[in-house]
Amino acid sequence: MRDLTALGAVQLVEGYRKGEFSPVEATRAALERAEEIQPEVNAFVRLTGEEALAQARESADRWRRGTPAGLLDGVPVTVKDILLMRGSPTLKGSKVLSEKGCWDEDAPSVARLREHGAVFLGKTTTPEFGWKGVTDSPLSGVTRNPHDPTRTAGGSSGGAAAAVALGAGPLALGTDGGGSVRIPAAFCGIFALKPTYGRVPLYPASAFGTLAHVGPMTRNAADAALMLDVIGAPDARDWSGAAASAVSYRGVLQDGVRGLRIAYSPSLGGQVRVQPGVAAAVRRAVERLAGLGAYVEEADPDFTDPVDAFHTLWFSGAARVTQQLGPHQRELLDPGLREICWLGARYSALDYLAAVDVRMDLGRRMGRFHESYDLLVTPTLPVTAFEAGAEVPKGSGYRRWTGWTPFTYPFNLTQQPAASVPVGVDADGLPVGLQLVAARHRDDLVLRAAHALDGVTPSGS
Protein backbone atom coordinates (compact mmCIF):
# COMPACT_ATOMS: atom_id res chain seq x y z
CA MET A 1 0.00 0.00 0.00
CA ARG A 2 1.25 3.48 -0.82
CA ASP A 3 2.46 5.90 1.86
CA LEU A 4 -0.66 7.89 2.65
CA THR A 5 1.34 10.56 4.46
CA ALA A 6 2.90 11.52 1.12
CA LEU A 7 -0.46 12.37 -0.44
CA GLY A 8 -1.98 15.83 -0.54
CA ALA A 9 -5.57 16.73 0.24
CA VAL A 10 -6.68 16.62 -3.41
CA GLN A 11 -5.19 13.13 -3.76
CA LEU A 12 -6.74 11.89 -0.54
CA VAL A 13 -10.22 13.06 -1.49
CA GLU A 14 -9.88 11.39 -4.88
CA GLY A 15 -8.72 8.19 -3.22
CA TYR A 16 -11.67 8.22 -0.84
CA ARG A 17 -14.02 8.77 -3.76
CA LYS A 18 -12.58 5.79 -5.65
CA GLY A 19 -12.50 3.58 -2.54
CA GLU A 20 -8.74 3.06 -2.78
CA PHE A 21 -8.25 3.77 0.94
CA SER A 22 -10.27 5.23 3.78
CA PRO A 23 -10.13 8.31 6.02
CA VAL A 24 -9.37 5.98 8.93
CA GLU A 25 -6.26 4.66 7.20
CA ALA A 26 -5.10 8.16 6.25
CA THR A 27 -5.72 9.52 9.74
CA ARG A 28 -3.98 6.64 11.44
CA ALA A 29 -0.94 7.10 9.16
CA ALA A 30 -0.84 10.85 9.87
CA LEU A 31 -1.11 10.30 13.64
CA GLU A 32 1.66 7.71 13.57
CA ARG A 33 3.87 10.15 11.66
CA ALA A 34 3.05 12.94 14.13
CA GLU A 35 4.02 10.75 17.08
CA GLU A 36 7.19 9.68 15.29
CA ILE A 37 8.41 13.22 14.57
CA GLN A 38 7.37 14.83 17.84
CA PRO A 39 10.39 13.89 20.02
CA GLU A 40 12.89 15.44 17.60
CA VAL A 41 10.97 18.22 15.84
CA ASN A 42 8.41 19.24 18.51
CA ALA A 43 5.69 20.35 16.10
CA PHE A 44 2.71 19.74 18.37
CA VAL A 45 1.36 21.19 21.57
CA ARG A 46 -1.07 18.28 21.78
CA LEU A 47 -2.37 15.50 19.58
CA THR A 48 -6.08 14.64 19.65
CA GLY A 49 -5.73 11.07 18.41
CA GLU A 50 -8.87 9.47 19.80
CA GLU A 51 -11.07 12.32 18.64
CA ALA A 52 -9.38 12.30 15.22
CA LEU A 53 -9.98 8.59 14.72
CA ALA A 54 -13.61 8.99 15.77
CA GLN A 55 -14.01 11.78 13.21
CA ALA A 56 -12.29 9.62 10.58
CA ARG A 57 -14.66 6.71 11.22
CA GLU A 58 -17.65 9.00 10.79
CA SER A 59 -16.11 10.28 7.55
CA ALA A 60 -15.52 6.75 6.29
CA ASP A 61 -19.21 5.95 6.89
CA ARG A 62 -20.23 9.01 4.87
CA TRP A 63 -17.96 8.05 1.97
CA ARG A 64 -19.35 4.47 2.01
CA ARG A 65 -22.85 5.91 1.75
CA GLY A 66 -21.75 8.28 -1.04
CA THR A 67 -22.64 11.36 1.04
CA PRO A 68 -19.41 13.19 1.93
CA ALA A 69 -19.93 16.20 4.19
CA GLY A 70 -17.96 18.60 2.01
CA LEU A 71 -14.82 19.29 0.04
CA LEU A 72 -12.39 18.03 2.70
CA ASP A 73 -14.27 15.13 4.24
CA GLY A 74 -11.77 12.85 5.96
CA VAL A 75 -8.67 14.96 5.25
CA PRO A 76 -6.31 15.29 8.27
CA VAL A 77 -5.60 18.88 9.29
CA THR A 78 -3.73 20.63 12.10
CA VAL A 79 -4.53 23.92 13.82
CA LYS A 80 -2.00 26.44 15.12
CA ASP A 81 -2.44 26.96 18.86
CA ILE A 82 -3.43 30.59 18.30
CA LEU A 83 -6.83 29.64 16.87
CA LEU A 84 -9.76 28.32 18.89
CA MET A 85 -10.61 24.65 18.38
CA ARG A 86 -13.59 23.19 20.18
CA GLY A 87 -12.68 20.71 22.91
CA SER A 88 -8.99 21.69 23.06
CA PRO A 89 -7.36 24.47 25.14
CA THR A 90 -5.80 27.32 23.18
CA LEU A 91 -2.81 28.46 25.23
CA LYS A 92 -0.88 30.41 22.56
CA GLY A 93 2.52 29.21 23.73
CA SER A 94 2.13 30.96 27.08
CA LYS A 95 2.26 29.93 30.71
CA VAL A 96 0.05 32.87 31.68
CA LEU A 97 -3.07 31.29 30.15
CA SER A 98 -4.98 28.52 31.91
CA GLU A 99 -6.32 25.28 30.47
CA LYS A 100 -9.40 25.67 32.65
CA GLY A 101 -12.55 26.56 30.77
CA CYS A 102 -15.10 24.93 28.53
CA TRP A 103 -13.32 25.57 25.19
CA ASP A 104 -16.58 25.12 23.32
CA GLU A 105 -16.07 27.41 20.33
CA ASP A 106 -14.28 27.08 17.00
CA ALA A 107 -12.52 29.93 15.22
CA PRO A 108 -14.25 30.66 11.88
CA SER A 109 -11.64 28.82 9.80
CA VAL A 110 -11.81 25.81 12.12
CA ALA A 111 -15.62 25.85 11.97
CA ARG A 112 -15.58 25.84 8.16
CA LEU A 113 -13.17 22.91 8.09
CA ARG A 114 -15.34 21.01 10.55
CA GLU A 115 -18.44 21.66 8.42
CA HIS A 116 -16.59 20.13 5.45
CA GLY A 117 -15.68 16.98 7.37
CA ALA A 118 -11.98 17.61 8.04
CA VAL A 119 -10.28 15.46 10.67
CA PHE A 120 -8.41 17.39 13.38
CA LEU A 121 -5.10 15.81 14.40
CA GLY A 122 -4.16 18.38 17.04
CA LYS A 123 -2.73 21.81 17.83
CA THR A 124 0.67 22.95 16.56
CA THR A 125 3.31 25.01 18.30
CA THR A 126 3.72 28.79 18.25
CA PRO A 127 5.98 31.32 19.95
CA GLU A 128 4.21 33.07 22.80
CA PHE A 129 1.17 34.91 21.36
CA GLY A 130 2.76 34.48 17.91
CA TRP A 131 5.09 37.42 18.53
CA LYS A 132 8.20 36.46 16.53
CA GLY A 133 9.48 34.80 13.36
CA VAL A 134 10.81 31.64 15.01
CA THR A 135 8.96 29.03 17.06
CA ASP A 136 10.02 28.57 20.65
CA SER A 137 8.01 29.38 23.73
CA PRO A 138 8.09 29.12 27.52
CA LEU A 139 5.22 26.63 27.29
CA SER A 140 6.34 24.14 24.65
CA GLY A 141 10.05 24.73 24.05
CA VAL A 142 11.82 24.82 20.67
CA THR A 143 10.36 23.62 17.38
CA ARG A 144 13.02 22.37 14.98
CA ASN A 145 13.50 22.26 11.23
CA PRO A 146 12.47 19.03 9.47
CA HIS A 147 15.51 19.24 7.16
CA ASP A 148 18.04 19.81 9.96
CA PRO A 149 16.88 19.61 13.60
CA THR A 150 19.73 21.85 14.75
CA ARG A 151 18.02 24.71 12.89
CA THR A 152 14.81 26.62 13.39
CA ALA A 153 11.55 25.80 11.63
CA GLY A 154 10.81 29.54 11.49
CA GLY A 155 7.64 31.05 12.86
CA SER A 156 5.34 31.91 14.13
CA SER A 157 3.51 29.00 12.47
CA GLY A 158 6.58 26.79 12.80
CA GLY A 159 4.86 23.71 14.17
CA ALA A 160 2.34 23.81 11.35
CA ALA A 161 5.06 24.01 8.69
CA ALA A 162 7.11 21.20 10.20
CA ALA A 163 4.04 18.97 10.47
CA VAL A 164 3.10 19.46 6.81
CA ALA A 165 6.69 18.99 5.64
CA LEU A 166 6.99 15.66 7.47
CA GLY A 167 3.62 14.20 6.52
CA ALA A 168 1.71 14.77 9.75
CA GLY A 169 -1.35 15.96 7.86
CA PRO A 170 -1.40 17.57 4.40
CA LEU A 171 -3.23 20.71 5.57
CA ALA A 172 -2.49 23.16 8.36
CA LEU A 173 -4.09 26.36 9.56
CA GLY A 174 -1.59 29.11 10.34
CA THR A 175 -1.71 32.80 11.14
CA ASP A 176 0.42 35.55 9.62
CA GLY A 177 0.90 39.02 11.13
CA GLY A 178 4.34 39.77 9.70
CA GLY A 179 5.25 36.69 7.71
CA SER A 180 4.20 33.92 10.07
CA VAL A 181 3.00 31.42 7.47
CA ARG A 182 5.50 32.44 4.78
CA ILE A 183 8.62 32.41 6.98
CA PRO A 184 8.29 28.80 8.20
CA ALA A 185 7.07 27.69 4.77
CA ALA A 186 10.31 28.98 3.24
CA PHE A 187 12.47 27.41 5.95
CA CYS A 188 10.65 24.04 5.83
CA GLY A 189 10.16 23.73 2.07
CA ILE A 190 6.36 23.90 1.85
CA PHE A 191 3.74 26.23 0.35
CA ALA A 192 1.85 28.84 2.36
CA LEU A 193 -0.54 31.63 1.46
CA LYS A 194 -1.32 34.80 3.38
CA PRO A 195 -4.61 35.70 1.72
CA THR A 196 -5.90 39.22 1.26
CA TYR A 197 -6.88 40.58 4.66
CA GLY A 198 -10.45 39.57 5.48
CA ARG A 199 -10.56 36.78 2.89
CA VAL A 200 -10.44 34.28 5.76
CA PRO A 201 -12.48 35.49 8.75
CA LEU A 202 -10.77 35.76 12.13
CA TYR A 203 -12.36 35.57 15.56
CA PRO A 204 -11.55 36.51 18.25
CA ALA A 205 -9.99 39.61 16.73
CA SER A 206 -6.21 39.70 16.97
CA ALA A 207 -4.58 42.22 19.29
CA PHE A 208 -2.27 42.88 16.33
CA GLY A 209 -5.31 44.26 14.56
CA THR A 210 -5.56 44.29 10.79
CA LEU A 211 -2.00 43.03 10.36
CA ALA A 212 -3.17 39.51 11.26
CA HIS A 213 -4.30 37.06 8.56
CA VAL A 214 -5.30 33.38 8.64
CA GLY A 215 -3.98 31.20 5.84
CA PRO A 216 -3.47 27.68 4.50
CA MET A 217 -0.17 25.84 4.80
CA THR A 218 0.16 22.90 2.43
CA ARG A 219 2.61 21.13 0.15
CA ASN A 220 1.32 22.78 -3.01
CA ALA A 221 -0.95 25.45 -4.41
CA ALA A 222 -3.70 23.02 -5.45
CA ASP A 223 -4.25 21.94 -1.85
CA ALA A 224 -4.13 25.56 -0.69
CA ALA A 225 -6.75 26.58 -3.27
CA LEU A 226 -9.03 23.77 -2.13
CA MET A 227 -8.55 24.78 1.50
CA LEU A 228 -9.11 28.47 0.74
CA ASP A 229 -12.40 27.65 -0.98
CA VAL A 230 -13.49 26.17 2.35
CA ILE A 231 -12.08 28.55 4.97
CA GLY A 232 -12.79 31.70 2.93
CA ALA A 233 -16.52 31.55 3.63
CA PRO A 234 -17.82 34.59 5.59
CA ASP A 235 -18.47 34.48 9.33
CA ALA A 236 -20.66 36.99 11.15
CA ARG A 237 -18.25 37.15 14.10
CA ASP A 238 -15.60 38.97 12.02
CA TRP A 239 -16.70 42.58 11.56
CA SER A 240 -13.92 43.20 9.01
CA GLY A 241 -14.29 40.02 6.98
CA ALA A 242 -14.76 40.08 3.22
CA ALA A 243 -17.83 38.95 1.30
CA ALA A 244 -17.83 35.50 -0.24
CA SER A 245 -15.40 35.12 -3.13
CA ALA A 246 -16.90 35.41 -6.58
CA VAL A 247 -14.54 32.72 -7.90
CA SER A 248 -13.49 29.22 -6.94
CA TYR A 249 -9.75 29.28 -6.37
CA ARG A 250 -9.55 25.68 -7.53
CA GLY A 251 -11.12 26.76 -10.79
CA VAL A 252 -8.40 29.25 -11.77
CA LEU A 253 -5.32 27.11 -11.21
CA GLN A 254 -5.02 25.91 -14.79
CA ASP A 255 -5.05 29.45 -16.20
CA GLY A 256 -1.28 29.62 -15.81
CA VAL A 257 0.96 32.66 -16.14
CA ARG A 258 1.03 33.24 -19.89
CA GLY A 259 0.65 36.97 -20.52
CA LEU A 260 0.96 38.00 -16.86
CA ARG A 261 3.19 41.00 -16.14
CA ILE A 262 5.67 40.03 -13.43
CA ALA A 263 8.08 42.34 -11.64
CA TYR A 264 11.12 40.56 -10.22
CA SER A 265 12.77 42.42 -7.33
CA PRO A 266 15.81 40.46 -6.13
CA SER A 267 16.64 42.81 -3.25
CA LEU A 268 13.97 45.55 -3.06
CA GLY A 269 16.24 47.92 -4.93
CA GLY A 270 19.43 46.97 -3.08
CA GLN A 271 17.87 47.41 0.37
CA VAL A 272 18.27 43.71 1.29
CA ARG A 273 21.41 41.59 1.31
CA VAL A 274 20.42 38.12 0.07
CA GLN A 275 22.45 34.94 0.51
CA PRO A 276 23.85 33.76 -2.85
CA GLY A 277 22.18 30.34 -2.65
CA VAL A 278 18.81 31.95 -2.03
CA ALA A 279 19.26 34.46 -4.84
CA ALA A 280 20.28 31.76 -7.32
CA ALA A 281 17.32 29.48 -6.57
CA VAL A 282 14.83 32.33 -6.84
CA ARG A 283 16.33 33.58 -10.10
CA ARG A 284 16.06 30.09 -11.64
CA ALA A 285 12.39 29.96 -10.70
CA VAL A 286 11.79 33.42 -12.18
CA GLU A 287 13.36 32.22 -15.42
CA ARG A 288 10.92 29.32 -15.42
CA LEU A 289 8.00 31.75 -15.10
CA ALA A 290 9.30 33.59 -18.14
CA GLY A 291 9.61 30.27 -19.95
CA LEU A 292 5.92 29.63 -19.24
CA GLY A 293 4.93 32.79 -21.06
CA ALA A 294 4.96 35.49 -18.39
CA TYR A 295 6.39 38.91 -19.20
CA VAL A 296 9.13 39.28 -16.60
CA GLU A 297 11.33 42.28 -15.92
CA GLU A 298 13.42 43.41 -13.00
CA ALA A 299 11.55 46.19 -11.24
CA ASP A 300 11.44 47.34 -7.63
CA PRO A 301 8.40 48.62 -5.76
CA ASP A 302 8.64 52.25 -4.73
CA PHE A 303 9.11 52.08 -0.97
CA THR A 304 11.77 52.12 1.71
CA ASP A 305 11.80 49.71 4.62
CA PRO A 306 8.70 50.43 6.76
CA VAL A 307 10.10 48.58 9.77
CA ASP A 308 9.72 51.45 12.24
CA ALA A 309 6.03 51.79 11.46
CA PHE A 310 5.59 48.03 11.65
CA HIS A 311 7.31 47.95 15.05
CA THR A 312 5.01 50.66 16.37
CA LEU A 313 1.93 48.68 15.37
CA TRP A 314 3.37 45.28 16.34
CA PHE A 315 4.84 46.25 19.69
CA SER A 316 1.66 48.13 20.60
CA GLY A 317 -0.35 45.01 19.84
CA ALA A 318 1.94 42.92 22.03
CA ALA A 319 1.54 45.43 24.86
CA ARG A 320 -2.22 45.19 24.51
CA VAL A 321 -2.12 41.36 24.70
CA THR A 322 -0.31 41.50 28.03
CA GLN A 323 -1.86 44.66 29.45
CA GLN A 324 -3.79 42.93 32.24
CA LEU A 325 -0.91 40.77 33.49
CA GLY A 326 0.48 41.27 36.97
CA PRO A 327 4.21 41.38 37.85
CA HIS A 328 4.45 37.65 38.59
CA GLN A 329 2.78 36.75 35.28
CA ARG A 330 5.08 39.08 33.37
CA GLU A 331 8.07 37.22 34.74
CA LEU A 332 6.73 34.08 33.03
CA LEU A 333 6.80 35.71 29.58
CA ASP A 334 9.41 35.11 26.89
CA PRO A 335 12.07 37.77 27.68
CA GLY A 336 11.98 39.12 24.14
CA LEU A 337 8.20 39.48 24.29
CA ARG A 338 8.48 41.22 27.64
CA GLU A 339 10.91 43.70 26.10
CA ILE A 340 8.75 44.62 23.12
CA CYS A 341 5.70 44.94 25.39
CA TRP A 342 7.62 47.47 27.48
CA LEU A 343 8.41 49.41 24.30
CA GLY A 344 4.90 49.12 22.93
CA ALA A 345 3.31 50.48 26.09
CA ARG A 346 5.29 53.71 25.66
CA TYR A 347 3.98 54.65 22.23
CA SER A 348 1.39 57.42 22.18
CA ALA A 349 -1.81 57.48 20.15
CA LEU A 350 -0.08 59.99 17.86
CA ASP A 351 2.82 57.57 17.35
CA TYR A 352 0.34 54.87 16.41
CA LEU A 353 -1.50 57.11 13.97
CA ALA A 354 1.78 58.21 12.40
CA ALA A 355 2.52 54.51 11.76
CA VAL A 356 -0.94 54.17 10.20
CA ASP A 357 -0.06 57.07 7.90
CA VAL A 358 3.06 55.20 6.74
CA ARG A 359 0.92 52.13 6.21
CA MET A 360 -1.63 53.98 4.10
CA ASP A 361 1.08 55.54 1.95
CA LEU A 362 2.69 52.14 1.44
CA GLY A 363 -0.68 50.77 0.35
CA ARG A 364 -1.08 53.62 -2.13
CA ARG A 365 2.37 52.98 -3.57
CA MET A 366 1.70 49.26 -4.01
CA GLY A 367 -1.70 49.98 -5.54
CA ARG A 368 -0.01 52.10 -8.18
CA PHE A 369 2.70 49.50 -8.69
CA HIS A 370 0.12 46.84 -9.50
CA GLU A 371 -1.37 49.04 -12.20
CA SER A 372 1.78 48.11 -14.13
CA TYR A 373 2.42 44.59 -12.82
CA ASP A 374 0.12 41.69 -12.02
CA LEU A 375 2.62 40.08 -9.67
CA LEU A 376 5.69 40.99 -7.68
CA VAL A 377 8.29 38.28 -7.11
CA THR A 378 10.93 38.44 -4.36
CA PRO A 379 12.76 35.92 -2.22
CA THR A 380 10.56 35.02 0.73
CA LEU A 381 13.55 35.47 3.01
CA PRO A 382 17.14 36.58 2.40
CA VAL A 383 18.51 33.67 4.47
CA THR A 384 17.93 29.97 4.98
CA ALA A 385 17.17 28.40 8.35
CA PHE A 386 19.61 29.26 11.14
CA GLU A 387 20.21 27.78 14.58
CA ALA A 388 17.17 26.64 16.55
CA GLY A 389 16.26 28.59 19.67
CA ALA A 390 17.61 31.94 18.45
CA GLU A 391 15.52 34.92 17.36
CA VAL A 392 18.15 36.13 14.88
CA PRO A 393 21.05 34.46 13.03
CA LYS A 394 24.24 34.38 15.03
CA GLY A 395 26.57 37.22 14.10
CA SER A 396 23.94 38.97 11.97
CA GLY A 397 23.82 42.08 14.13
CA TYR A 398 20.03 42.09 14.00
CA ARG A 399 18.22 43.05 17.18
CA ARG A 400 14.79 41.60 16.39
CA TRP A 401 13.33 39.03 13.98
CA THR A 402 12.23 41.79 11.62
CA GLY A 403 15.88 42.32 10.69
CA TRP A 404 15.94 39.15 8.59
CA THR A 405 12.31 39.26 7.29
CA PRO A 406 12.28 42.49 5.22
CA PHE A 407 10.39 40.84 2.34
CA THR A 408 7.40 39.67 4.40
CA TYR A 409 6.04 42.24 6.86
CA PRO A 410 5.53 45.08 4.32
CA PHE A 411 2.70 43.08 2.79
CA ASN A 412 0.95 42.67 6.11
CA LEU A 413 0.92 46.44 6.31
CA THR A 414 -0.68 46.59 2.85
CA GLN A 415 -2.97 43.56 3.42
CA GLN A 416 -2.04 42.09 0.02
CA PRO A 417 -2.12 38.37 -0.78
CA ALA A 418 1.38 36.89 -0.60
CA ALA A 419 2.61 33.31 -0.80
CA SER A 420 5.85 31.43 -0.29
CA VAL A 421 6.58 28.77 -2.91
CA PRO A 422 9.38 26.20 -2.43
CA VAL A 423 11.87 26.59 -5.30
CA GLY A 424 14.75 24.33 -4.33
CA VAL A 425 17.56 24.18 -1.78
CA ASP A 426 20.88 25.88 -1.18
CA ALA A 427 24.31 24.24 -1.09
CA ASP A 428 23.64 22.98 2.45
CA GLY A 429 20.38 21.29 1.43
CA LEU A 430 18.22 23.90 3.16
CA PRO A 431 14.97 24.98 1.49
CA VAL A 432 14.56 28.28 -0.34
CA GLY A 433 11.24 30.06 -0.81
CA LEU A 434 10.08 32.48 -3.51
CA GLN A 435 7.45 35.07 -2.58
CA LEU A 436 4.57 35.97 -4.90
CA VAL A 437 2.60 39.15 -4.17
CA ALA A 438 -0.49 40.48 -5.95
CA ALA A 439 -2.83 43.42 -5.54
CA ARG A 440 -5.48 43.14 -2.84
CA HIS A 441 -8.23 40.64 -3.71
CA ARG A 442 -6.15 39.01 -6.45
CA ASP A 443 -5.38 35.85 -4.51
CA ASP A 444 -6.25 34.01 -7.72
CA LEU A 445 -3.16 35.38 -9.47
CA VAL A 446 -0.90 34.28 -6.63
CA LEU A 447 -2.34 30.76 -6.70
CA ARG A 448 -2.16 30.53 -10.50
CA ALA A 449 1.54 31.42 -10.55
CA ALA A 450 2.33 29.16 -7.61
CA HIS A 451 0.56 26.25 -9.30
CA ALA A 452 2.54 26.89 -12.47
CA LEU A 453 5.75 26.66 -10.45
CA ASP A 454 4.56 23.50 -8.71
CA GLY A 455 4.49 21.79 -12.06
CA VAL A 456 8.00 22.67 -13.18
CA THR A 457 10.15 23.11 -10.07
CA PRO A 458 12.54 20.15 -9.80
CA SER A 459 13.31 18.85 -6.33
CA GLY A 460 16.70 19.89 -5.06
CA SER A 461 17.31 22.46 -7.79
Side-chain angles (χ1 to χ4, degrees):
M1 183 176 178
R2 71 175 107 177
D3 179 6
L4 297 182
T5 67
L7 302 183
V10 172
Q11 295 169 304
L12 287 177
V13 170
E14 185 63 18
Y16 300 157
R17 182 175 291 112
K18 293 178 177 179
E20 296 174 348
F21 42 78
S22 78
V24 174
E25 292 169 316
T27 299
R28 186 171 287 119
L31 286 169
E32 289 174 356
R33 181 61 55 85
E35 291 169 352
E36 175 187 341
I37 68 173
Q38 181 62 11
E40 184 171 51
V41 175
N42 188 31
F44 289 90
V45 176
R46 67 185 59 81
L47 289 167
T48 52
E50 290 185 12
E51 296 93 331
L53 287 170
Q55 293 163 9
R57 286 190 286 269
E58 292 172 359
S59 173
D61 287 341
R62 291 191 292 270
W63 280 106
R64 277 194 293 269
R65 295 194 304 268
T67 57
L71 297 176
L72 293 172
D73 202 349
V75 177
V77 63
T78 63
V79 177
K80 182 181 180 180
D81 199 35
I82 291 290
L83 298 167
L84 294 177
M85 187 175 89
R86 194 173 71 218
S88 182
T90 300
L91 302 183
K92 304 182 180 182
S94 183
K95 291 183 176 180
V96 304
L97 299 181
S98 172
E99 290 190 13
K100 295 178 181 178
C102 54
W103 303 109
D104 60 354
E105 192 171 22
D106 284 330
S109 51
V110 177
R112 301 294 86 77
L113 289 171
R114 198 182 297 277
E115 290 164 5
H116 280 258
V119 172
F120 295 96
L121 300 178
K123 304 294 288 289
T124 54
T125 53
T126 175
E128 195 165 21
F129 299 110
W131 81 271
K132 60 183 175 180
V134 295
T135 301
D136 58 75
S137 75
L139 184 67
S140 55
V142 177
T143 297
R144 299 178 179 276
N145 192 289
H147 295 264
D148 179 351
T150 68
R151 300 177 187 255
T152 180
S156 64
S157 306
V164 170
L166 291 170
L171 304 179
L173 275 176
T175 63
D176 189 316
S180 289
V181 300
R182 291 161 289 155
I183 295 165
F187 278 178
C188 294
I190 69 164
F191 178 82
L193 171 68
K194 177 187 76 68
T196 300
Y197 178 80
R199 176 73 279 142
V200 179
L202 178 61
Y203 171 85
S206 171
F208 297 108
T210 57
L211 295 171
H213 304 57
V214 178
M217 304 179 71
T218 63
R219 295 196 193 101
N220 55 54
D223 278 4
L226 174 60
M227 194 174 179
L228 187 58
D229 277 345
V230 171
I231 65 176
D235 191 291
R237 293 172 292 176
D238 184 352
W239 66 272
S240 62
S245 174
V247 301
S248 163
Y249 295 107
R250 290 168 292 149
V252 303
L253 292 178
Q254 301 304 325
D255 292 348
V257 297
R258 182 168 298 279
L260 292 184
R261 302 161 300 167
I262 296 179
Y264 168 43
S265 179
S267 61
L268 295 180
Q271 296 183 76
V272 184
R273 186 171 53 192
V274 179
Q275 287 179 351
V278 172
V282 172
R283 183 173 291 277
R284 286 194 297 268
V286 170
E287 291 169 353
R288 288 194 287 274
L289 289 172
L292 291 169
Y295 299 110
V296 179
E297 64 175 294
E298 286 201 22
D300 301 307
D302 175 29
F303 66 80
T304 55
D305 188 355
V307 68
D308 291 337
F310 180 80
H311 281 169
T312 299
L313 300 172
W314 193 252
F315 295 177
S316 297
R320 177 62 176 160
V321 167
T322 60
Q323 186 177 19
Q324 304 304 321
L325 299 182
H328 172 69
Q329 290 175 303
R330 288 182 179 276
E331 286 301 312
L332 299 175
L333 295 175
D334 179 325
L337 174 60
R338 194 162 59 239
E339 181 179 334
I340 71 163
C341 290
W342 184 87
L343 293 169
R346 280 151 182 78
Y347 291 124
S348 69
L350 290 177
D351 293 331
Y352 193 94
L353 291 173
V356 171
D357 286 342
V358 171
R359 182 181 192 180
M360 289 190 293
D361 182 64
L362 179 61
R364 177 189 63 82
R365 290 170 183 269
M366 287 308 302
R368 295 296 299 271
F369 183 81
H370 285 291
E371 291 180 337
S372 300
Y373 300 101
D374 298 301
L375 290 164
L376 169 66
V377 172
T378 73
T380 306
L381 298 168
V383 298
T384 51
F386 49 87
E387 65 179 295
E391 184 184 346
V392 301
K394 186 176 181 180
S396 66
Y398 299 134
R399 182 72 184 92
R400 295 263 79 101
W401 63 272
T402 44
W404 52 272
T405 60
F407 293 112
T408 59
Y409 56 77
F411 305 110
N412 291 83
L413 290 166
T414 62
Q415 303 186 336
Q416 293 172 249
S420 182
V421 184
V423 290
V425 296
D426 70 0
D428 295 322
L430 295 170
V432 173
L434 170 150
Q435 182 174 234
L436 293 162
V437 184
R440 292 175 73 246
H441 308 298
R442 294 312 308 267
D443 307 68
D444 59 314
L445 294 179
V446 172
L447 287 164
R448 279 170 54 184
H451 185 63
L453 284 173
D454 282 341
V456 296
T457 303
S459 176
S461 65

